[in-house]
Amino acid sequence: GVVTGTLTLNLANLKFVISPSANAKDGSISITNQSTKISYDCSIDKSGNCNIYAPAGTYRVEIYPGYPSSTALFTVISNLVVTGSTQVENVTLSGANVTGTVSSTTISAGRGIVEVQQRKTEGVNQYWDNLWNARGTIDASGNFAIALPEGTYRLLARCQNSFNNDCKGFLSSPSEVFTVSTGNTVVN
């Protein structure tokens, strides 16, 4: 049999203008409707712009810069109201609001990363959700800086070169649980 039909394409009604564009370019944006859990994605162009279609609703927006730095990192808008009409959102990438020092000689030689886990609650169940795009690099002095939205978290310091014995004897363990609210958070 033959199936016939008409496909109607929607024009972008939501434009994100991300700055600084030098950090944002080649990144991506994912928006998720809070009610339906349907997600929409777009790529950020060299000017820092991203155009997307999204029906009216309230969305969680996650912005992943192509070239992050300590002053322009993963950014979240928790409750963006999309009207369904043409709309422009100007967003400045978040700077680091969580900083700390890892005190392991194994990974403080510039060979480590800090992975982020956020505490989530669904009904009576709680679990730790990995935020892969929020991770940070540990520098040669053991310092790291990441940007996180408000929430409850823990961090895991990990060695990047575990396959060639650079991490011999290093055991990754979670940090103390901490909460990010307005302002900066220090985790040691």
Side-chain angles (χ1 to χ4, degrees):
V2 175
V3 176
T4 60
T6 304
L7 175 64
T8 304
L9 299 176
N10 293 311
L11 295 176
N13 62 335
L14 182 57
K15 178 179 183 176
F16 289 95
V17 180
I18 312 298
S19 61
S21 60
N23 296 98
K25 69 181 179 180
D26 300 330
S28 64
I29 297 177
S30 179
I31 68 172
T32 304
N33 185 298
Q34 301 289 22
S35 300
T36 66
K37 304 301 182 204
I38 295 173
S39 294
Y40 305 89
D41 301 296
C42 62
S43 298
I44 303 170
D45 67 21
K46 65 182 178 184
S47 299
N49 300 320
C50 188
N51 297 295
I52 193 167
Y53 170 78
T58 302
Y59 290 82
R60 175 182 168 90
V61 179
E62 296 182 354
I63 303 168
Y64 306 99
Y67 300 92
S69 71
S70 63
T71 58
L73 294 164
F74 168 73
T75 301
V76 172
I77 303 169
S78 296
N79 293 298
L80 176 68
V81 176
V82 174
T83 63
S85 300
T86 301
Q87 175 175 347
V88 176
E89 294 295 326
N90 294 298
V91 180
T92 300
L93 292 170
S94 298
N97 64 345
V98 177
T99 60
T101 303
V102 176
S103 58
S104 164
T105 55
T106 302
I107 59 176
S108 63
R111 293 190 301 261
I113 57 173
V114 173
E115 293 180 344
V116 179
Q117 295 180 328
Q118 184 175 21
R119 184 168 34 210
K120 299 281 186 156
T121 303
E122 290 182 5
V124 295
N125 298 320
Q126 286 192 350
Y127 62 96
W128 292 102
D129 186 29
N130 290 311
L131 298 180
W132 300 113
N133 292 302
R135 76 174 92 192
T137 302
I138 301 168
D139 69 17
S141 299
N143 301 313
F144 66 89
I146 53 179
L148 298 174
E150 293 182 0
T152 301
Y153 301 92
R154 69 182 182 186
L155 304 175
L156 292 162
R158 298 179 56 102
C159 189
Q160 288 180 318
N161 298 320
S162 59
F163 296 110
N164 59 4
N165 281 335
D166 282 353
C167 302
K168 192 173 185 179
F170 178 77
L171 178 62
S172 181
S173 57
S175 70
E176 294 293 321
V177 175
F178 64 95
T179 300
V180 173
S181 56
T182 305
N184 294 338
T185 302
V186 177
V187 179
N188 287 307

